[in-house]
């Protein structure tokens, strides 16, 4: 069982030290309660409550008490993979949701303090929330599972891949691809500093908050022992980044109300401004991250996508598409031993483009079609019509795969280096996970190819590229032809009994930064 030791800086006012001690006691009490918990089979009907009852449970507490307690609890949970017991009793997405509701609707005119039993009531209420029943149409199950997937799965993904991918995808590729608007200078103009420095500054803020129960205090930057850090990450970049990633309570509320919202009854899936600005500015001048896991996610490709679209418009989206295509090729080329891999083929008059990559293996040709399109907020919340976005994306990609396959069969001279004497598999690669794209519910609504097709995220491709070449071939063939496993998320379908090495591309990207993981930035020094 993990204990949470509250920071007790000698310069902190006595009132603050007392609050921090109460926070640590509440978290330790609840963690101990969870450790003693033993699930049991209960055949009675489960209690269900509307979302407004969960909101009222949150509003029982002062934000100045609840938010620090949630931050400390989030850090007590450590990093994924989380245990099933942890996910059932203090899920990280519930922490972020409770923090959102506290900032939006809480006030200081409440009873002081939060106890372990208060946390028990809060998370039980969260687990009992039921939304407005969905219309029982053909997409009923798909809609419910889409909501759950996009609410929960991102919090269970390792941040190593997400952060490393930012550098490998958005920095390493700049000089290798002919782009319209993206460049090192464009990133610097957008972010106020080179992208690499922004990644480092964000990492610094993550470490600072993680070491100090979610808190960040600008006064720490005045310490004389910080100069070593500023030699790598300039102080002005750290300060600018901290300001960018924070909001006042009023700014937070304005951002929430300005965002599109799903239908009434599904408020839990509404926009959470903590995703874009994970720190809130508290009354004492310090910044607090109620769900610290969201800090580093602000510099993932998915987060930077929206920054780029706002600043550079559609040309940015086209550039990102080119970078994503190159990134998939770079991952596939890293497979050992080096595979027979061929890029996009231009053919015909008027000129057309084939699928993006052809991986030629002894028993199969695997065709990869890469798409960088992303789900919007309402589509993640499975608002009416959400399935049309997925269908459009998959149908377009499958059509491209079918056309390339037809040209191979027709022995088009432009495709003469692609064997026509073996089966084919099509892989649609998406820049972000489309968690249910392989499921029966999605497959029933989209175009079908005359050969097996799978949808894979960049994370899935990174897992694939860490396998030896013979395993890549065996596993893709087995999964694609298995009626059950072919409907799973590709990363889940992989045979994990086979030892995987590190992903070379991601490791090189991670190692390119002086991560300073041993930094000592505890408040009490």
């Amino acid at each position: 069982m993990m204990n949470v030791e509250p920071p007790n800086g000698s310069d902190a006012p006595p009132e603050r030290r007392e609050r921090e001690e109460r926070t640590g006691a509440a978290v330790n009490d609840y963690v101990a309660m969870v450790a003693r918990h033993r699930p049991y089979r209960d055949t009675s009907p489960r209690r269900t409550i509307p979302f407004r009852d969960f909101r009222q449970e949150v509003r029982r507490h002062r934000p100045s008490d609840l938010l620090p307690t949630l931050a400390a609890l989030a850090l007590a949970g450590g990093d994924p993979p989380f245990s099933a017991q942890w996910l059932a009793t203090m899920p990280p997405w519930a922490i972020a949701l409770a923090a959102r509701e506290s900032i939006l609707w809480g006030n200081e005119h409440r009873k002081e303090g939060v106890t372990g039993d208060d946390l028990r009531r809060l998370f039980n209420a969260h687990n009992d929330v039921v939304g407005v029943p969905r219309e029982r149409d053909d997409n009923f199950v798909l809609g419910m599972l889409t909501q759950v997937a996009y609410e929960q799965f991102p919090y269970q993904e390792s941040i190593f891949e997400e952060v490393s991918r930012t550098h490998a995808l958005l920095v390493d590729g700049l000089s290798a691809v002919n782009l319209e608007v993206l460049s090192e200078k464009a990133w610097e103009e957008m972010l106020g500093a080179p992208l690499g420095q922004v990644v480092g500054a964000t990492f610094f803020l993550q470490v600072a908050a993680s070491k100090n129960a979610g808190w960040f205090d600008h006064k720490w930057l005045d310490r004389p022992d910080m100069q070593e850090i500023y030699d790598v990450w300039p102080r002005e970049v750290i300060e600018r980044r901290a300001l960018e990633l924070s909001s006042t309570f009023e700014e937070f509320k304005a951002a929430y109300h300005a965002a599109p919202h799903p239908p009434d009854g599904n408020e839990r899936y509404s926009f959470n401004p903590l995703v874009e600005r994970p720190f809130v500015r508290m009354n004492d001048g310090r910044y607090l991250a109620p769900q610290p896991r969201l800090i580093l996610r602000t510099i993932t490709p998915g987060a930077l996508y929206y920054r780029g679209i706002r600043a550079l418009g559609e040309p940015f989206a086209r550039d990102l598409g080119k970078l994503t295509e190159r990134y998939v090729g770079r991952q596939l080329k890293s497979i050992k031993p080096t595979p027979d891999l061929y890029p996009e083929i231009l053919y015909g008059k008027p000129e057309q483009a084939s699928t993006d990559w052809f991986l030629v293996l002894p028993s199969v040709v695997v065709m990869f079609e890469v798409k960088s399109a992303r789900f919007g907020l309402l589509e993640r919340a499975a608002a009416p019509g959400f399935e049309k976005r997925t269908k459009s994306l998959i149908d377009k990609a499958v059509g491209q795969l079918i056309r390339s396959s037809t040209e191979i069969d027709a022995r088009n001279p432009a495709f003469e280096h692609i064997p026509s004497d073996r089966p084919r598999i099509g892989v649609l690669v998406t820049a972000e996970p489309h968690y249910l794209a392989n499921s029966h519910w999605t497959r029933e609504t989209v175009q079908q190819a005359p050969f097996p097709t799978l949808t894979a995220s960049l994370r899935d491709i990174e897992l694939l590229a860490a396998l030896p070449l013979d395993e890549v071939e065996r596993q893709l063939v087995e999964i694609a032809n298995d009626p059950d496993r072919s409907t799973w998320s590709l990363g889940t379908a992989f045979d994990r009994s086979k030892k995987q090495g590190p992903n070379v591309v991601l490791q090189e990207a991670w190692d390119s930064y002086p991560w300073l993981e041993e930094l000592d930035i505890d408040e009490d020094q």
Side-chain angles (χ1 to χ4, degrees), residues 488-507:
W488 303 354
S489 167
L490 185 58
T492 303
F494 286 140
D495 180 0
R496 298 301 180 92
S497 68
K498 301 299 179 181
K499 185 177 180 180
Q500 281 185 282
N503 183 285
V504 175
V505 174
L506 292 179
Q507 193 63 54

Side-chain angles (χ1 to χ4, degrees), residues 276-297:
E276 290 188 351
R277 294 186 170 192
F279 287 99
V280 286
R281 298 175 211 163
M282 304 298 282
N283 290 336
D284 63 3
R286 295 184 298 165
Y287 293 0
L288 176 69
Q291 176 42 283
R293 285 190 59 78
L294 294 174
I295 299 171
L296 270 179
R297 290 198 168 272

Side-chain angles (χ1 to χ4, degrees), residues 125-140:
H126 170 269
N127 292 339
D128 290 336
V129 169
V130 61
V132 173
R134 298 181 61 86
E135 184 178 347
R136 287 188 172 272
D137 56 15
D138 293 339
N139 297 309
F140 172 73

Side-chain angles (χ1 to χ4, degrees), residues 69-136:
T69 306
L70 292 172
L73 186 63
L75 291 167
D79 296 318
F82 301 110
S83 69
Q85 186 177 41
W86 205 266
L87 292 174
T89 53
M90 54 184 86
W93 55 89
I95 291 174
L97 181 61
R100 185 194 78 183
E101 294 300 295
S102 181
I103 298 168
L104 288 174
W105 314 111
N107 64 71
E108 293 298 308
H109 306 293
R110 302 290 176 180
K111 181 187 70 172
E112 186 176 17
V114 178
T115 67
D117 197 56
D118 290 330
L119 292 173
R120 178 189 62 79
R121 291 181 53 175
L122 182 67
F123 289 110
N124 281 347
H126 170 269
N127 292 339
D128 290 336
V129 169
V130 61
V132 173
R134 298 181 61 86
E135 184 178 347
R136 287 188 172 272

Side-chain angles (χ1 to χ4, degrees), residues 16 41 89 91 93 106 116 123 155 183 212 236 241 271 279 285 305 316-317 338 372 392-393 405 410 421:
R16 183 199 296 180
R41 187 178 299 277
T89 53
W93 55 89
F123 289 110
Y155 288 95
S183 64
N212 294 286
E236 59 269 21
R241 190 62 177 157
F271 174 59
F279 287 99
Y305 168 82
F316 173 85
T338 304
S372 61
S392 173
L393 173 69
S405 180
D421 62 347

Side-chain angles (χ1 to χ4, degrees), residues 457-468:
S457 67
L458 292 183
R459 181 179 283 265
D460 295 332
I461 295 298
E462 291 156 1
L463 290 170
L464 181 74
L467 293 168

